[in-house]
Amino acid sequence: MSNIGIVLGRFHRKEVEEMLDEARTVAASRGLGIVAEVWVPGSMEKPLAIKRLLMREDVAGAVALGIIERGETEHGNVMGHAVIGSLIDLQLQFMKPVGVGILGPGINPSQIPPRIRPYAAAAVNACADLIEQG
């Protein structure tokens, strides 16, 4: 069995807890163990937490879950692009997959509920697929 770690943004805690529930279900169905669930304040902190997980020998991949909601400024878009770029760089640096289940940037509140479980599932499945291809 391969192990993954999950990093979660607590800014939208209720919704992200639902994402975590889905991630746990999908991980179990794919034969993945979850050795760490790390809560961070928001998306800006996810790359460092993911890096710490990827450095562990018992972690074959990681998943980032959270929401970057549409705001009144471009902050969310800028942050979203920086975070996604950093996560891609970490995948390449460690040669371990990072499944990204971050809704947004720029998602409207009404768009969040129907995407919570599908995004979490897709992130875990992407990580699992790449671990299997290893």
Side-chain angles (χ1 to χ4, degrees), residues 38-103:
V38 181
W39 288 89
V40 296
S43 288
M44 288 296 286
E45 294 76 27
K46 286 184 179 108
L48 177 57
I50 291 282
K51 182 172 185 171
R52 288 176 175 162
L53 288 173
L54 296 178
M55 290 173 70
R56 292 175 48 168
E57 289 186 23
D58 65 332
V59 172
V63 172
L65 301 176
I67 300 168
I68 302 175
E69 197 172 332
R70 180 182 305 265
E72 294 181 18
T73 67
E74 287 298 309
H75 173 74
N77 283 330
V78 171
M79 179 178 59
H81 290 286
V83 168
I84 299 300
S86 294
L87 295 177
I88 291 168
D89 289 345
L90 289 169
Q91 276 190 123
L92 298 174
Q93 177 186 349
F94 288 93
M95 296 304 292
K96 295 180 180 182
V98 177
V100 179
I102 299 174
L103 281 69

Side-chain angles (χ1 to χ4, degrees), residues 69-70 106-113:
E69 197 172 332
R70 180 182 305 265
I107 194 166
N108 292 315
S110 64
Q111 297 171 313
I112 294 172

Side-chain angles (χ1 to χ4, degrees), residues 12 14-16 18-19 22 66-67 69 103-104 107-120:
H12 293 89
K14 178 180 175 277
E15 294 85 352
V16 177
E18 187 175 345
M19 295 178 93
E22 183 71 12
I67 300 168
E69 197 172 332
L103 281 69
I107 194 166
N108 292 315
S110 64
Q111 297 171 313
I112 294 172
R115 290 171 172 80
I116 289 173
R117 289 189 178 271
Y119 270 61

